[in-house]
Short mmCIF file of all heavy atoms in Angstrom, two decimals:
data_model
loop_
_atom_site.label_atom_id
_atom_site.label_comp_id
_atom_site.label_asym_id
_atom_site.label_seq_id
_atom_site.Cartn_x
_atom_site.Cartn_y
_atom_site.Cartn_z
N PRO A 1 29.80 97.53 -73.18
CA PRO A 1 30.80 96.46 -73.09
C PRO A 1 32.03 96.92 -72.36
O PRO A 1 32.39 98.10 -72.39
CB PRO A 1 31.10 96.14 -74.57
CG PRO A 1 30.73 97.38 -75.31
CD PRO A 1 29.61 98.02 -74.57
N LEU A 2 32.68 96.00 -71.65
CA LEU A 2 33.93 96.32 -70.97
C LEU A 2 35.08 96.25 -71.97
O LEU A 2 35.22 95.27 -72.68
CB LEU A 2 34.21 95.33 -69.83
CG LEU A 2 33.32 95.40 -68.60
CD1 LEU A 2 33.74 94.33 -67.60
CD2 LEU A 2 33.36 96.78 -67.95
N PRO A 3 35.91 97.29 -72.03
CA PRO A 3 37.10 97.21 -72.89
C PRO A 3 38.00 96.07 -72.44
O PRO A 3 38.02 95.70 -71.25
CB PRO A 3 37.79 98.57 -72.66
CG PRO A 3 36.73 99.45 -72.08
CD PRO A 3 35.80 98.57 -71.32
N ASP A 4 38.75 95.51 -73.37
CA ASP A 4 39.59 94.35 -73.07
C ASP A 4 40.56 94.62 -71.92
O ASP A 4 40.78 93.76 -71.06
CB ASP A 4 40.37 93.91 -74.31
CG ASP A 4 39.46 93.30 -75.37
OD1 ASP A 4 38.32 92.94 -75.04
OD2 ASP A 4 39.91 93.20 -76.53
N ASP A 5 41.13 95.83 -71.90
CA ASP A 5 42.13 96.10 -70.86
C ASP A 5 41.49 96.18 -69.48
O ASP A 5 42.04 95.68 -68.50
CB ASP A 5 42.91 97.38 -71.18
CG ASP A 5 42.03 98.61 -71.29
OD1 ASP A 5 40.80 98.47 -71.48
OD2 ASP A 5 42.57 99.74 -71.20
N LEU A 6 40.31 96.79 -69.38
CA LEU A 6 39.63 96.86 -68.09
C LEU A 6 39.15 95.47 -67.66
O LEU A 6 39.26 95.11 -66.47
CB LEU A 6 38.44 97.83 -68.16
CG LEU A 6 37.64 97.99 -66.86
CD1 LEU A 6 38.52 98.39 -65.69
CD2 LEU A 6 36.51 99.00 -67.06
N ARG A 7 38.65 94.71 -68.59
CA ARG A 7 38.24 93.35 -68.27
C ARG A 7 39.42 92.55 -67.71
O ARG A 7 39.28 91.84 -66.72
CB ARG A 7 37.68 92.66 -69.51
CG ARG A 7 37.18 91.26 -69.25
CD ARG A 7 36.64 90.60 -70.51
NE ARG A 7 36.10 89.29 -70.18
CZ ARG A 7 36.82 88.19 -70.03
NH1 ARG A 7 38.14 88.25 -70.17
NH2 ARG A 7 36.25 87.05 -69.72
N ALA A 8 40.58 92.69 -68.33
CA ALA A 8 41.77 91.99 -67.85
C ALA A 8 42.17 92.45 -66.45
O ALA A 8 42.56 91.64 -65.60
CB ALA A 8 42.92 92.18 -68.84
N GLN A 9 42.05 93.75 -66.21
CA GLN A 9 42.38 94.27 -64.88
C GLN A 9 41.44 93.72 -63.81
O GLN A 9 41.88 93.33 -62.72
CB GLN A 9 42.30 95.80 -64.90
CG GLN A 9 43.36 96.51 -65.73
CD GLN A 9 43.04 97.97 -65.92
OE1 GLN A 9 42.50 98.63 -65.03
NE2 GLN A 9 43.32 98.50 -67.09
N LEU A 10 40.16 93.69 -64.13
CA LEU A 10 39.17 93.20 -63.16
C LEU A 10 39.35 91.69 -62.91
O LEU A 10 39.26 91.23 -61.77
CB LEU A 10 37.76 93.49 -63.65
CG LEU A 10 37.39 94.98 -63.71
CD1 LEU A 10 36.07 95.17 -64.45
CD2 LEU A 10 37.30 95.56 -62.30
N LEU A 11 39.63 90.96 -63.97
CA LEU A 11 39.85 89.53 -63.81
C LEU A 11 41.08 89.26 -62.95
O LEU A 11 41.06 88.38 -62.08
CB LEU A 11 40.01 88.88 -65.19
CG LEU A 11 40.14 87.36 -65.21
CD1 LEU A 11 38.93 86.69 -64.57
CD2 LEU A 11 40.33 86.86 -66.64
N ALA A 12 42.13 90.05 -63.15
CA ALA A 12 43.36 89.87 -62.37
C ALA A 12 43.11 90.16 -60.89
O ALA A 12 43.74 89.55 -60.02
CB ALA A 12 44.46 90.77 -62.91
N LEU A 13 42.18 91.07 -60.58
CA LEU A 13 41.89 91.41 -59.19
C LEU A 13 41.11 90.31 -58.47
O LEU A 13 40.95 90.38 -57.24
CB LEU A 13 41.10 92.72 -59.13
CG LEU A 13 41.92 93.99 -59.43
CD1 LEU A 13 40.99 95.17 -59.66
CD2 LEU A 13 42.89 94.28 -58.28
N CYS A 14 40.63 89.32 -59.21
CA CYS A 14 39.91 88.22 -58.58
C CYS A 14 40.84 87.24 -57.86
O CYS A 14 40.38 86.34 -57.16
CB CYS A 14 39.08 87.47 -59.62
SG CYS A 14 37.71 88.44 -60.29
N THR A 15 42.15 87.40 -58.07
CA THR A 15 43.14 86.61 -57.35
C THR A 15 44.19 87.55 -56.76
O THR A 15 44.36 88.68 -57.21
CB THR A 15 43.83 85.59 -58.28
OG1 THR A 15 44.37 86.27 -59.41
CG2 THR A 15 42.84 84.54 -58.76
N SER A 16 44.91 87.08 -55.77
CA SER A 16 45.90 87.91 -55.10
C SER A 16 47.03 88.31 -56.05
O SER A 16 47.42 87.54 -56.93
CB SER A 16 46.49 87.17 -53.90
OG SER A 16 45.50 86.92 -52.93
N GLY A 17 47.54 89.52 -55.86
CA GLY A 17 48.63 90.01 -56.69
C GLY A 17 49.25 91.25 -56.07
O GLY A 17 48.78 91.75 -55.05
N PRO A 18 50.29 91.78 -56.69
CA PRO A 18 50.97 92.95 -56.15
C PRO A 18 50.15 94.23 -56.27
O PRO A 18 49.36 94.38 -57.21
CB PRO A 18 52.25 93.03 -56.99
CG PRO A 18 51.88 92.37 -58.29
CD PRO A 18 50.92 91.28 -57.94
N ASP A 19 50.34 95.13 -55.33
CA ASP A 19 49.77 96.49 -55.38
C ASP A 19 48.26 96.47 -55.64
O ASP A 19 47.73 97.26 -56.40
CB ASP A 19 50.48 97.30 -56.48
CG ASP A 19 50.31 98.81 -56.28
OD1 ASP A 19 50.00 99.23 -55.15
OD2 ASP A 19 50.46 99.54 -57.27
N GLU A 20 47.56 95.57 -54.93
CA GLU A 20 46.13 95.39 -55.20
C GLU A 20 45.29 96.61 -54.87
O GLU A 20 44.31 96.89 -55.55
CB GLU A 20 45.61 94.19 -54.41
CG GLU A 20 46.06 92.86 -54.94
CD GLU A 20 45.52 91.72 -54.11
OE1 GLU A 20 46.01 91.51 -52.99
OE2 GLU A 20 44.60 91.03 -54.58
N ILE A 21 45.66 97.35 -53.84
CA ILE A 21 44.85 98.49 -53.43
C ILE A 21 44.83 99.55 -54.52
O ILE A 21 43.76 100.06 -54.91
CB ILE A 21 45.36 99.08 -52.09
CG1 ILE A 21 45.15 98.07 -50.96
CG2 ILE A 21 44.65 100.39 -51.78
CD1 ILE A 21 45.72 98.52 -49.63
N THR A 22 45.99 99.89 -55.05
CA THR A 22 46.05 100.89 -56.12
C THR A 22 45.36 100.38 -57.37
O THR A 22 44.57 101.11 -58.01
CB THR A 22 47.51 101.26 -56.42
OG1 THR A 22 48.10 101.82 -55.25
CG2 THR A 22 47.59 102.26 -57.56
N ARG A 23 45.65 99.16 -57.75
CA ARG A 23 45.05 98.60 -58.97
C ARG A 23 43.53 98.54 -58.84
O ARG A 23 42.80 98.83 -59.80
CB ARG A 23 45.62 97.21 -59.28
CG ARG A 23 47.08 97.24 -59.72
CD ARG A 23 47.53 95.90 -60.27
NE ARG A 23 47.53 94.85 -59.26
CZ ARG A 23 46.78 93.76 -59.29
NH1 ARG A 23 45.92 93.58 -60.29
NH2 ARG A 23 46.85 92.85 -58.34
N SER A 24 43.04 98.18 -57.67
CA SER A 24 41.61 98.11 -57.45
C SER A 24 40.95 99.49 -57.55
O SER A 24 39.90 99.65 -58.18
CB SER A 24 41.33 97.49 -56.07
OG SER A 24 39.96 97.52 -55.77
N ALA A 25 41.59 100.48 -56.94
CA ALA A 25 41.03 101.84 -56.98
C ALA A 25 40.96 102.40 -58.40
O ALA A 25 39.97 103.02 -58.80
CB ALA A 25 41.86 102.76 -56.09
N LEU A 26 42.02 102.17 -59.16
CA LEU A 26 42.04 102.66 -60.54
C LEU A 26 41.02 101.92 -61.40
O LEU A 26 40.32 102.54 -62.23
CB LEU A 26 43.45 102.50 -61.12
CG LEU A 26 44.54 103.39 -60.49
CD1 LEU A 26 45.90 103.05 -61.06
CD2 LEU A 26 44.23 104.86 -60.69
N ALA A 27 40.90 100.60 -61.21
CA ALA A 27 39.96 99.83 -62.01
C ALA A 27 38.52 100.21 -61.69
O ALA A 27 37.68 100.33 -62.58
CB ALA A 27 40.17 98.32 -61.76
N GLU A 28 38.22 100.42 -60.40
CA GLU A 28 36.84 100.77 -60.07
C GLU A 28 36.47 102.15 -60.59
O GLU A 28 35.34 102.38 -61.02
CB GLU A 28 36.56 100.63 -58.58
CG GLU A 28 37.05 101.70 -57.68
CD GLU A 28 36.44 101.58 -56.27
OE1 GLU A 28 35.37 100.97 -56.11
OE2 GLU A 28 37.07 102.09 -55.33
N ASN A 29 37.41 103.09 -60.60
CA ASN A 29 37.10 104.41 -61.14
C ASN A 29 36.87 104.34 -62.65
O ASN A 29 36.01 105.04 -63.20
CB ASN A 29 38.21 105.40 -60.81
CG ASN A 29 38.16 105.82 -59.34
OD1 ASN A 29 37.21 105.52 -58.63
ND2 ASN A 29 39.20 106.52 -58.89
N ALA A 30 37.64 103.49 -63.33
CA ALA A 30 37.42 103.28 -64.77
C ALA A 30 36.05 102.64 -65.01
O ALA A 30 35.32 103.02 -65.94
CB ALA A 30 38.54 102.42 -65.35
N TRP A 31 35.70 101.67 -64.16
CA TRP A 31 34.39 101.01 -64.27
C TRP A 31 33.26 102.02 -64.06
O TRP A 31 32.28 102.05 -64.81
CB TRP A 31 34.30 99.89 -63.24
CG TRP A 31 33.07 99.06 -63.28
CD1 TRP A 31 32.89 97.88 -63.93
CD2 TRP A 31 31.81 99.35 -62.63
NE1 TRP A 31 31.62 97.41 -63.73
CE2 TRP A 31 30.94 98.29 -62.93
CE3 TRP A 31 31.36 100.38 -61.81
CZ2 TRP A 31 29.63 98.24 -62.47
CZ3 TRP A 31 30.05 100.35 -61.36
CH2 TRP A 31 29.20 99.28 -61.67
N VAL A 32 33.40 102.87 -63.05
CA VAL A 32 32.36 103.86 -62.74
C VAL A 32 32.22 104.87 -63.88
O VAL A 32 31.11 105.27 -64.24
CB VAL A 32 32.68 104.60 -61.42
CG1 VAL A 32 31.77 105.80 -61.23
CG2 VAL A 32 32.53 103.65 -60.24
#
């Protein structure tokens, strides 16, 4: 299962927002 915080991060990345490159890199490493 995805932890609530990671799920929220991934959901937020589905729409435009600030500092997306860093947030995306950190979220994908947590997912991996």
Side-chain angles (χ1 to χ4, degrees):
L2 289 179
D4 290 344
D5 59 342
L6 180 55
R7 182 181 183 279
Q9 292 169 36
L10 293 169
L11 184 59
L13 286 167
C14 292
T15 54
S16 296
D19 200 22
E20 287 179 286
I21 294 176
T22 298
R23 290 191 295 117
S24 174
L26 293 174
E28 77 168 338
N29 286 351
W31 184 95
V32 170

